[in-house]
Structure formats: C-alpha cells, structure tokens
mmCIF file of all heavy atoms in Angstrom:
data_model
loop_
_atom_site.group_PDB
_atom_site.id
_atom_site.type_symbol
_atom_site.label_atom_id
_atom_site.label_comp_id
_atom_site.label_asym_id
_atom_site.label_seq_id
_atom_site.Cartn_x
_atom_site.Cartn_y
_atom_site.Cartn_z
ATOM 1 N N ASP N 1416 0.802 -1.219 0.000
ATOM 2 C CA ASP N 1416 0.000 0.000 0.000
ATOM 3 C C ASP N 1416 0.836 1.271 0.000
ATOM 4 O O ASP N 1416 0.323 2.340 0.344
ATOM 5 C CB ASP N 1416 -0.956 0.026 1.190
ATOM 6 C CG ASP N 1416 -2.165 -0.865 0.980
ATOM 7 O OD1 ASP N 1416 -2.512 -1.146 -0.180
ATOM 8 O OD2 ASP N 1416 -2.769 -1.280 1.991
ATOM 9 N N ARG N 1417 2.088 1.190 -0.394
ATOM 10 C CA ARG N 1417 2.877 2.407 -0.560
ATOM 11 C C ARG N 1417 2.268 3.246 -1.668
ATOM 12 O O ARG N 1417 1.797 2.733 -2.689
ATOM 13 C CB ARG N 1417 4.328 2.069 -0.887
ATOM 14 C CG ARG N 1417 5.080 1.397 0.245
ATOM 15 C CD ARG N 1417 6.412 0.870 -0.238
ATOM 16 N NE ARG N 1417 7.277 1.944 -0.707
ATOM 17 C CZ ARG N 1417 8.295 1.768 -1.543
ATOM 18 N NH1 ARG N 1417 8.561 0.555 -2.004
ATOM 19 N NH2 ARG N 1417 9.037 2.797 -1.903
ATOM 20 N N ARG N 1418 2.290 4.560 -1.503
ATOM 21 C CA ARG N 1418 1.656 5.481 -2.445
ATOM 22 C C ARG N 1418 2.644 6.522 -2.930
ATOM 23 O O ARG N 1418 3.486 6.997 -2.172
ATOM 24 C CB ARG N 1418 0.444 6.151 -1.797
ATOM 25 C CG ARG N 1418 -0.678 5.170 -1.471
ATOM 26 C CD ARG N 1418 -1.674 5.783 -0.512
ATOM 27 N NE ARG N 1418 -2.887 4.975 -0.380
ATOM 28 C CZ ARG N 1418 -3.028 3.951 0.449
ATOM 29 N NH1 ARG N 1418 -2.015 3.588 1.234
ATOM 30 N NH2 ARG N 1418 -4.174 3.279 0.511
ATOM 31 N N PHE N 1419 2.509 6.892 -4.195
ATOM 32 C CA PHE N 1419 3.400 7.846 -4.822
ATOM 33 C C PHE N 1419 2.572 8.871 -5.575
ATOM 34 O O PHE N 1419 1.520 8.554 -6.137
ATOM 35 C CB PHE N 1419 4.368 7.144 -5.784
ATOM 36 C CG PHE N 1419 5.214 6.091 -5.131
ATOM 37 C CD1 PHE N 1419 4.723 4.815 -4.940
ATOM 38 C CD2 PHE N 1419 6.499 6.389 -4.705
ATOM 39 C CE1 PHE N 1419 5.499 3.839 -4.337
ATOM 40 C CE2 PHE N 1419 7.283 5.423 -4.100
ATOM 41 C CZ PHE N 1419 6.785 4.151 -3.910
ATOM 42 N N TYR N 1420 3.064 10.119 -5.609
ATOM 43 C CA TYR N 1420 2.363 11.207 -6.272
ATOM 44 C C TYR N 1420 3.338 12.074 -7.046
ATOM 45 O O TYR N 1420 4.466 12.315 -6.613
ATOM 46 C CB TYR N 1420 1.622 12.087 -5.266
ATOM 47 C CG TYR N 1420 0.571 11.355 -4.476
ATOM 48 C CD1 TYR N 1420 0.855 10.828 -3.222
ATOM 49 C CD2 TYR N 1420 -0.712 11.193 -4.991
ATOM 50 C CE1 TYR N 1420 -0.106 10.150 -2.502
ATOM 51 C CE2 TYR N 1420 -1.676 10.512 -4.277
ATOM 52 C CZ TYR N 1420 -1.367 9.987 -3.032
ATOM 53 O OH TYR N 1420 -2.327 9.313 -2.319
ATOM 54 N N GLY N 1421 2.875 12.549 -8.193
ATOM 55 C CA GLY N 1421 3.646 13.539 -8.912
ATOM 56 C C GLY N 1421 3.628 14.863 -8.174
ATOM 57 O O GLY N 1421 2.677 15.186 -7.456
ATOM 58 N N ASP N 1422 4.688 15.644 -8.351
ATOM 59 C CA ASP N 1422 4.805 16.901 -7.623
ATOM 60 C C ASP N 1422 3.643 17.847 -7.909
ATOM 61 O O ASP N 1422 3.225 18.610 -7.033
ATOM 62 C CB ASP N 1422 6.127 17.587 -7.968
ATOM 63 C CG ASP N 1422 7.328 16.859 -7.395
ATOM 64 O OD1 ASP N 1422 7.159 16.088 -6.431
ATOM 65 O OD2 ASP N 1422 8.443 17.079 -7.905
ATOM 66 N N SER N 1423 3.109 17.814 -9.113
ATOM 67 C CA SER N 1423 2.064 18.747 -9.491
ATOM 68 C C SER N 1423 0.721 18.463 -8.820
ATOM 69 O O SER N 1423 -0.152 19.336 -8.809
ATOM 70 C CB SER N 1423 1.883 18.753 -11.012
ATOM 71 O OG SER N 1423 1.458 17.482 -11.478
ATOM 72 N N VAL N 1424 0.543 17.258 -8.253
ATOM 73 C CA VAL N 1424 -0.736 16.895 -7.646
ATOM 74 C C VAL N 1424 -0.617 16.567 -6.167
ATOM 75 O O VAL N 1424 -1.643 16.363 -5.501
ATOM 76 C CB VAL N 1424 -1.391 15.709 -8.380
ATOM 77 C CG1 VAL N 1424 -1.522 16.007 -9.866
ATOM 78 C CG2 VAL N 1424 -0.599 14.424 -8.151
ATOM 79 N N LYS N 1425 0.592 16.524 -5.634
ATOM 80 C CA LYS N 1425 0.796 16.175 -4.232
ATOM 81 C C LYS N 1425 0.057 17.155 -3.325
ATOM 82 O O LYS N 1425 0.143 18.368 -3.492
ATOM 83 C CB LYS N 1425 2.289 16.156 -3.909
ATOM 84 C CG LYS N 1425 2.630 15.621 -2.526
ATOM 85 C CD LYS N 1425 4.138 15.507 -2.336
ATOM 86 C CE LYS N 1425 4.736 14.499 -3.290
ATOM 87 N NZ LYS N 1425 6.196 14.305 -3.044
ATOM 88 N N GLY N 1426 -0.679 16.605 -2.368
ATOM 89 C CA GLY N 1426 -1.466 17.418 -1.467
ATOM 90 C C GLY N 1426 -2.878 17.671 -1.942
ATOM 91 O O GLY N 1426 -3.717 18.123 -1.150
ATOM 92 N N ARG N 1427 -3.169 17.400 -3.208
ATOM 93 C CA ARG N 1427 -4.500 17.604 -3.765
ATOM 94 C C ARG N 1427 -5.168 16.296 -4.175
ATOM 95 O O ARG N 1427 -6.383 16.171 -4.083
ATOM 96 C CB ARG N 1427 -4.441 18.534 -4.977
ATOM 97 C CG ARG N 1427 -3.901 19.925 -4.666
ATOM 98 C CD ARG N 1427 -4.039 20.850 -5.873
ATOM 99 N NE ARG N 1427 -3.247 20.383 -7.013
ATOM 100 C CZ ARG N 1427 -3.759 20.075 -8.207
ATOM 101 N NH1 ARG N 1427 -5.065 20.193 -8.429
ATOM 102 N NH2 ARG N 1427 -2.961 19.679 -9.198
ATOM 103 N N PHE N 1428 -4.381 15.329 -4.645
ATOM 104 C CA PHE N 1428 -4.910 14.044 -5.109
ATOM 105 C C PHE N 1428 -4.577 12.952 -4.100
ATOM 106 O O PHE N 1428 -3.526 12.992 -3.441
ATOM 107 C CB PHE N 1428 -4.303 13.658 -6.460
ATOM 108 C CG PHE N 1428 -4.738 14.513 -7.624
ATOM 109 C CD1 PHE N 1428 -5.458 15.681 -7.434
ATOM 110 C CD2 PHE N 1428 -4.417 14.124 -8.912
ATOM 111 C CE1 PHE N 1428 -5.847 16.467 -8.508
ATOM 112 C CE2 PHE N 1428 -4.807 14.898 -9.996
ATOM 113 C CZ PHE N 1428 -5.518 16.068 -9.794
ATOM 114 N N THR N 1429 -5.458 11.955 -3.999
ATOM 115 C CA THR N 1429 -5.251 10.814 -3.115
ATOM 116 C C THR N 1429 -5.611 9.532 -3.842
ATOM 117 O O THR N 1429 -6.714 9.414 -4.383
ATOM 118 C CB THR N 1429 -6.093 10.927 -1.837
ATOM 119 O OG1 THR N 1429 -5.794 12.150 -1.156
ATOM 120 C CG2 THR N 1429 -5.802 9.752 -0.906
ATOM 121 N N ILE N 1430 -4.696 8.568 -3.860
ATOM 122 C CA ILE N 1430 -4.953 7.281 -4.476
ATOM 123 C C ILE N 1430 -5.287 6.267 -3.387
ATOM 124 O O ILE N 1430 -4.722 6.301 -2.290
ATOM 125 C CB ILE N 1430 -3.746 6.810 -5.329
ATOM 126 C CG1 ILE N 1430 -4.114 5.588 -6.170
ATOM 127 C CG2 ILE N 1430 -2.535 6.525 -4.450
ATOM 128 C CD1 ILE N 1430 -3.051 5.223 -7.202
ATOM 129 N N SER N 1431 -6.227 5.369 -3.676
ATOM 130 C CA SER N 1431 -6.626 4.349 -2.717
ATOM 131 C C SER N 1431 -7.115 3.120 -3.467
ATOM 132 O O SER N 1431 -7.390 3.179 -4.669
ATOM 133 C CB SER N 1431 -7.720 4.867 -1.774
ATOM 134 O OG SER N 1431 -8.888 5.209 -2.494
ATOM 135 N N ALA N 1432 -7.234 2.009 -2.754
ATOM 136 C CA ALA N 1432 -7.670 0.753 -3.358
ATOM 137 C C ALA N 1432 -8.723 0.084 -2.494
ATOM 138 O O ALA N 1432 -8.637 0.102 -1.262
ATOM 139 C CB ALA N 1432 -6.485 -0.193 -3.554
ATOM 140 N N ASP N 1433 -9.719 -0.486 -3.143
ATOM 141 C CA ASP N 1433 -10.736 -1.304 -2.496
ATOM 142 C C ASP N 1433 -10.584 -2.700 -3.085
ATOM 143 O O ASP N 1433 -11.089 -2.985 -4.167
ATOM 144 C CB ASP N 1433 -12.132 -0.746 -2.739
ATOM 145 C CG ASP N 1433 -13.201 -1.486 -1.966
ATOM 146 O OD1 ASP N 1433 -12.987 -2.661 -1.599
ATOM 147 O OD2 ASP N 1433 -14.267 -0.894 -1.722
ATOM 148 N N ASN N 1434 -9.877 -3.568 -2.375
ATOM 149 C CA ASN N 1434 -9.582 -4.890 -2.904
ATOM 150 C C ASN N 1434 -10.841 -5.736 -3.086
ATOM 151 O O ASN N 1434 -10.912 -6.560 -3.996
ATOM 152 C CB ASN N 1434 -8.588 -5.613 -1.999
ATOM 153 C CG ASN N 1434 -7.207 -4.992 -2.043
ATOM 154 O OD1 ASN N 1434 -6.799 -4.431 -3.063
ATOM 155 N ND2 ASN N 1434 -6.469 -5.098 -0.950
ATOM 156 N N ALA N 1435 -11.837 -5.535 -2.225
ATOM 157 C CA ALA N 1435 -13.081 -6.290 -2.344
ATOM 158 C C ALA N 1435 -13.784 -5.988 -3.660
ATOM 159 O O ALA N 1435 -14.448 -6.857 -4.230
ATOM 160 C CB ALA N 1435 -14.002 -5.996 -1.166
ATOM 161 N N LYS N 1436 -13.667 -4.750 -4.137
ATOM 162 C CA LYS N 1436 -14.270 -4.352 -5.402
ATOM 163 C C LYS N 1436 -13.291 -4.431 -6.562
ATOM 164 O O LYS N 1436 -13.672 -4.142 -7.701
ATOM 165 C CB LYS N 1436 -14.819 -2.929 -5.300
ATOM 166 C CG LYS N 1436 -15.956 -2.774 -4.306
ATOM 167 C CD LYS N 1436 -16.480 -1.349 -4.301
ATOM 168 C CE LYS N 1436 -17.652 -1.202 -3.354
ATOM 169 N NZ LYS N 1436 -18.173 0.196 -3.338
ATOM 170 N N ASN N 1437 -12.033 -4.782 -6.279
ATOM 171 C CA ASN N 1437 -11.004 -4.865 -7.306
ATOM 172 C C ASN N 1437 -10.905 -3.546 -8.072
ATOM 173 O O ASN N 1437 -10.801 -3.521 -9.304
ATOM 174 C CB ASN N 1437 -11.283 -6.021 -8.269
ATOM 175 C CG ASN N 1437 -10.016 -6.714 -8.741
ATOM 176 O OD1 ASN N 1437 -8.993 -6.719 -8.059
ATOM 177 N ND2 ASN N 1437 -10.076 -7.320 -9.922
ATOM 178 N N THR N 1438 -10.914 -2.445 -7.316
ATOM 179 C CA THR N 1438 -10.966 -1.116 -7.897
ATOM 180 C C THR N 1438 -9.983 -0.196 -7.196
ATOM 181 O O THR N 1438 -9.843 -0.244 -5.971
ATOM 182 C CB THR N 1438 -12.378 -0.525 -7.797
ATOM 183 O OG1 THR N 1438 -13.293 -1.362 -8.515
ATOM 184 C CG2 THR N 1438 -12.430 0.875 -8.384
ATOM 185 N N VAL N 1439 -9.314 0.642 -7.971
ATOM 186 C CA VAL N 1439 -8.442 1.695 -7.458
ATOM 187 C C VAL N 1439 -9.086 3.039 -7.769
ATOM 188 O O VAL N 1439 -9.638 3.229 -8.858
ATOM 189 C CB VAL N 1439 -7.038 1.604 -8.071
ATOM 190 C CG1 VAL N 1439 -6.208 2.838 -7.728
ATOM 191 C CG2 VAL N 1439 -6.329 0.353 -7.576
ATOM 192 N N TYR N 1440 -9.003 3.962 -6.814
ATOM 193 C CA TYR N 1440 -9.616 5.271 -6.955
ATOM 194 C C TYR N 1440 -8.561 6.364 -6.948
ATOM 195 O O TYR N 1440 -7.493 6.226 -6.355
ATOM 196 C CB TYR N 1440 -10.600 5.541 -5.811
ATOM 197 C CG TYR N 1440 -11.694 4.514 -5.699
ATOM 198 C CD1 TYR N 1440 -11.580 3.451 -4.811
ATOM 199 C CD2 TYR N 1440 -12.838 4.605 -6.474
ATOM 200 C CE1 TYR N 1440 -12.583 2.502 -4.700
ATOM 201 C CE2 TYR N 1440 -13.842 3.665 -6.373
ATOM 202 C CZ TYR N 1440 -13.715 2.617 -5.487
ATOM 203 O OH TYR N 1440 -14.714 1.683 -5.383
ATOM 204 N N LEU N 1441 -8.894 7.460 -7.603
ATOM 205 C CA LEU N 1441 -8.086 8.666 -7.548
ATOM 206 C C LEU N 1441 -9.003 9.822 -7.179
ATOM 207 O O LEU N 1441 -9.797 10.276 -8.006
ATOM 208 C CB LEU N 1441 -7.385 8.939 -8.877
ATOM 209 C CG LEU N 1441 -6.432 10.139 -8.885
ATOM 210 C CD1 LEU N 1441 -5.220 9.860 -8.002
ATOM 211 C CD2 LEU N 1441 -5.994 10.478 -10.305
ATOM 212 N N GLN N 1442 -8.921 10.259 -5.919
ATOM 213 C CA GLN N 1442 -9.694 11.399 -5.456
ATOM 214 C C GLN N 1442 -8.934 12.664 -5.801
ATOM 215 O O GLN N 1442 -7.789 12.843 -5.376
ATOM 216 C CB GLN N 1442 -9.926 11.320 -3.945
ATOM 217 C CG GLN N 1442 -10.707 12.487 -3.367
ATOM 218 C CD GLN N 1442 -12.143 12.517 -3.837
ATOM 219 O OE1 GLN N 1442 -12.815 11.487 -3.837
ATOM 220 N NE2 GLN N 1442 -12.620 13.687 -4.248
ATOM 221 N N MET N 1443 -9.558 13.555 -6.568
ATOM 222 C CA MET N 1443 -8.923 14.772 -7.042
ATOM 223 C C MET N 1443 -9.652 15.966 -6.446
ATOM 224 O O MET N 1443 -10.814 16.209 -6.766
ATOM 225 C CB MET N 1443 -8.935 14.833 -8.570
ATOM 226 C CG MET N 1443 -8.344 13.595 -9.236
ATOM 227 S SD MET N 1443 -8.197 13.769 -11.041
ATOM 228 C CE MET N 1443 -9.928 13.951 -11.474
ATOM 229 N N ASN N 1444 -8.973 16.704 -5.588
ATOM 230 C CA ASN N 1444 -9.527 17.884 -4.944
ATOM 231 C C ASN N 1444 -8.798 19.132 -5.412
ATOM 232 O O ASN N 1444 -7.701 19.062 -5.963
ATOM 233 C CB ASN N 1444 -9.419 17.759 -3.423
ATOM 234 C CG ASN N 1444 -10.213 16.610 -2.857
ATOM 235 O OD1 ASN N 1444 -11.259 16.236 -3.383
ATOM 236 N ND2 ASN N 1444 -9.726 16.041 -1.755
ATOM 237 N N SER N 1445 -9.412 20.278 -5.163
ATOM 238 C CA SER N 1445 -8.815 21.566 -5.517
ATOM 239 C C SER N 1445 -8.327 21.581 -6.954
ATOM 240 O O SER N 1445 -7.199 21.980 -7.255
ATOM 241 C CB SER N 1445 -7.664 21.897 -4.558
ATOM 242 O OG SER N 1445 -8.109 21.930 -3.212
ATOM 243 N N LEU N 1446 -9.185 21.168 -7.857
ATOM 244 C CA LEU N 1446 -8.794 21.014 -9.254
ATOM 245 C C LEU N 1446 -8.484 22.361 -9.900
ATOM 246 O O LEU N 1446 -9.126 23.374 -9.608
ATOM 247 C CB LEU N 1446 -9.883 20.293 -10.029
ATOM 248 C CG LEU N 1446 -9.950 18.786 -9.764
ATOM 249 C CD1 LEU N 1446 -11.273 18.210 -10.240
ATOM 250 C CD2 LEU N 1446 -8.784 18.089 -10.454
ATOM 251 N N LYS N 1447 -7.501 22.330 -10.779
ATOM 252 C CA LYS N 1447 -7.044 23.502 -11.500
ATOM 253 C C LYS N 1447 -7.239 23.295 -12.995
ATOM 254 O O LYS N 1447 -7.282 22.151 -13.465
ATOM 255 C CB LYS N 1447 -5.561 23.761 -11.219
ATOM 256 C CG LYS N 1447 -5.210 23.896 -9.749
ATOM 257 C CD LYS N 1447 -3.710 24.019 -9.565
ATOM 258 C CE LYS N 1447 -3.338 24.127 -8.106
ATOM 259 N NZ LYS N 1447 -1.867 24.230 -7.922
ATOM 260 N N PRO N 1448 -7.328 24.368 -13.772
ATOM 261 C CA PRO N 1448 -7.464 24.201 -15.224
ATOM 262 C C PRO N 1448 -6.351 23.353 -15.830
ATOM 263 O O PRO N 1448 -6.605 22.614 -16.790
ATOM 264 C CB PRO N 1448 -7.413 25.643 -15.746
ATOM 265 C CG PRO N 1448 -7.983 26.449 -14.622
ATOM 266 C CD PRO N 1448 -7.474 25.780 -13.370
ATOM 267 N N GLU N 1449 -5.145 23.426 -15.283
ATOM 268 C CA GLU N 1449 -4.042 22.637 -15.811
ATOM 269 C C GLU N 1449 -4.176 21.146 -15.522
ATOM 270 O O GLU N 1449 -3.382 20.342 -16.028
ATOM 271 C CB GLU N 1449 -2.693 23.143 -15.281
ATOM 272 C CG GLU N 1449 -2.639 23.291 -13.772
ATOM 273 C CD GLU N 1449 -2.879 24.717 -13.315
ATOM 274 O OE1 GLU N 1449 -3.802 25.361 -13.859
ATOM 275 O OE2 GLU N 1449 -2.148 25.196 -12.433
ATOM 276 N N ASP N 1450 -5.157 20.748 -14.714
ATOM 277 C CA ASP N 1450 -5.447 19.334 -14.503
ATOM 278 C C ASP N 1450 -6.273 18.747 -15.640
ATOM 279 O O ASP N 1450 -6.482 17.529 -15.679
ATOM 280 C CB ASP N 1450 -6.188 19.119 -13.184
ATOM 281 C CG ASP N 1450 -5.344 19.471 -11.973
ATOM 282 O OD1 ASP N 1450 -4.141 19.133 -11.965
ATOM 283 O OD2 ASP N 1450 -5.889 20.087 -11.033
ATOM 284 N N THR N 1451 -6.766 19.581 -16.529
ATOM 285 C CA THR N 1451 -7.544 19.109 -17.668
ATOM 286 C C THR N 1451 -6.712 18.156 -18.514
ATOM 287 O O THR N 1451 -5.605 18.498 -18.940
ATOM 288 C CB THR N 1451 -8.017 20.290 -18.519
ATOM 289 O OG1 THR N 1451 -8.904 21.106 -17.749
ATOM 290 C CG2 THR N 1451 -8.741 19.810 -19.764
ATOM 291 N N ALA N 1452 -7.235 16.959 -18.751
ATOM 292 C CA ALA N 1452 -6.506 15.939 -19.501
ATOM 293 C C ALA N 1452 -7.360 14.688 -19.608
ATOM 294 O O ALA N 1452 -8.415 14.578 -18.975
ATOM 295 C CB ALA N 1452 -5.174 15.600 -18.827
ATOM 296 N N ASP N 1453 -6.899 13.750 -20.413
ATOM 297 C CA ASP N 1453 -7.430 12.400 -20.394
ATOM 298 C C ASP N 1453 -6.644 11.605 -19.358
ATOM 299 O O ASP N 1453 -5.412 11.600 -19.383
ATOM 300 C CB ASP N 1453 -7.307 11.738 -21.765
ATOM 301 C CG ASP N 1453 -8.202 12.380 -22.804
ATOM 302 O OD1 ASP N 1453 -9.296 12.843 -22.430
ATOM 303 O OD2 ASP N 1453 -7.814 12.416 -23.984
ATOM 304 N N TYR N 1454 -7.345 10.935 -18.453
ATOM 305 C CA TYR N 1454 -6.714 10.203 -17.367
ATOM 306 C C TYR N 1454 -6.800 8.705 -17.626
ATOM 307 O O TYR N 1454 -7.868 8.182 -17.957
ATOM 308 C CB TYR N 1454 -7.366 10.540 -16.031
ATOM 309 C CG TYR N 1454 -6.942 11.884 -15.490
ATOM 310 C CD1 TYR N 1454 -7.407 13.056 -16.063
ATOM 311 C CD2 TYR N 1454 -6.062 11.984 -14.407
ATOM 312 C CE1 TYR N 1454 -7.010 14.295 -15.584
ATOM 313 C CE2 TYR N 1454 -5.667 13.217 -13.922
ATOM 314 C CZ TYR N 1454 -6.138 14.367 -14.508
ATOM 315 O OH TYR N 1454 -5.743 15.594 -14.034
ATOM 316 N N TYR N 1455 -5.678 8.012 -17.456
ATOM 317 C CA TYR N 1455 -5.572 6.585 -17.709
ATOM 318 C C TYR N 1455 -5.044 5.870 -16.474
ATOM 319 O O TYR N 1455 -4.198 6.401 -15.753
ATOM 320 C CB TYR N 1455 -4.611 6.295 -18.867
ATOM 321 C CG TYR N 1455 -4.965 6.954 -20.173
ATOM 322 C CD1 TYR N 1455 -4.582 8.257 -20.451
ATOM 323 C CD2 TYR N 1455 -5.680 6.253 -21.144
ATOM 324 C CE1 TYR N 1455 -4.901 8.861 -21.650
ATOM 325 C CE2 TYR N 1455 -5.999 6.852 -22.352
ATOM 326 C CZ TYR N 1455 -5.609 8.148 -22.594
ATOM 327 O OH TYR N 1455 -5.926 8.738 -23.796
ATOM 328 N N CYS N 1456 -5.517 4.660 -16.238
ATOM 329 C CA CYS N 1456 -4.901 3.813 -15.236
ATOM 330 C C CYS N 1456 -4.209 2.652 -15.926
ATOM 331 O O CYS N 1456 -4.580 2.245 -17.034
ATOM 332 C CB CYS N 1456 -5.911 3.304 -14.198
ATOM 333 S SG CYS N 1456 -7.220 2.224 -14.832
ATOM 334 N N ALA N 1457 -3.177 2.137 -15.283
ATOM 335 C CA ALA N 1457 -2.386 1.056 -15.845
ATOM 336 C C ALA N 1457 -1.903 0.139 -14.732
ATOM 337 O O ALA N 1457 -1.572 0.604 -13.639
ATOM 338 C CB ALA N 1457 -1.191 1.611 -16.625
ATOM 339 N N ALA N 1458 -1.862 -1.157 -15.018
ATOM 340 C CA ALA N 1458 -1.369 -2.158 -14.083
ATOM 341 C C ALA N 1458 0.008 -2.613 -14.516
ATOM 342 O O ALA N 1458 0.225 -2.910 -15.692
ATOM 343 C CB ALA N 1458 -2.318 -3.349 -14.012
ATOM 344 N N GLY N 1459 0.930 -2.690 -13.561
ATOM 345 C CA GLY N 1459 2.290 -3.083 -13.880
ATOM 346 C C GLY N 1459 2.889 -4.013 -12.849
ATOM 347 O O GLY N 1459 2.418 -4.093 -11.712
ATOM 348 N N LEU N 1460 3.939 -4.698 -13.244
ATOM 349 C CA LEU N 1460 4.650 -5.622 -12.375
ATOM 350 C C LEU N 1460 5.877 -4.992 -11.730
ATOM 351 O O LEU N 1460 6.402 -5.544 -10.760
ATOM 352 C CB LEU N 1460 5.074 -6.865 -13.166
ATOM 353 C CG LEU N 1460 3.932 -7.711 -13.731
ATOM 354 C CD1 LEU N 1460 4.484 -8.821 -14.604
ATOM 355 C CD2 LEU N 1460 3.094 -8.290 -12.605
#
C-alpha cells in the first residue's frame, strides 16, 4: 500500500484501493485548469 504522487498533484490528489471491489480510486480535490486531460490507469509488475 505504498503510495506515490507527482509533484504537481501532491497534497490535492489521493490514491486508494478497495480490494473487495477490485478497484483503485483517484480522489482529485482543488482542481485547476491545468489538470484538464485524459486520465488513464495502468497495471504493472
């Protein structure tokens, strides 16, 4: 459950996982116009 954040979102975004639902979430607060983008999730080893 170690978590990592890019400098541009640290303090505003929070990543979490619900293993029972097999789902990862990204809570995004205090959104800025520069956060506008297409967001993708990816699984890696």
Side-chain angles (χ1 to χ4, degrees):
D1416 283 336
R1417 293 170 62 202
R1418 295 165 169 85
F1419 302 83
Y1420 299 95
D1422 290 339
S1423 63
V1424 306
K1425 188 174 296 184
R1427 299 187 297 121
F1428 291 10
T1429 303
I1430 190 170
S1431 62
D1433 186 337
N1434 291 330
K1436 296 182 178 180
N1437 216 27
T1438 299
V1439 170
Y1440 302 96
L1441 184 68
Q1442 179 67 46
M1443 307 186 297
N1444 297 328
S1445 302
L1446 285 164
K1447 305 175 181 179
E1449 51 262 44
D1450 295 319
T1451 296
D1453 292 327
Y1454 283 73
Y1455 302 84
C1456 64
L1460 297 174

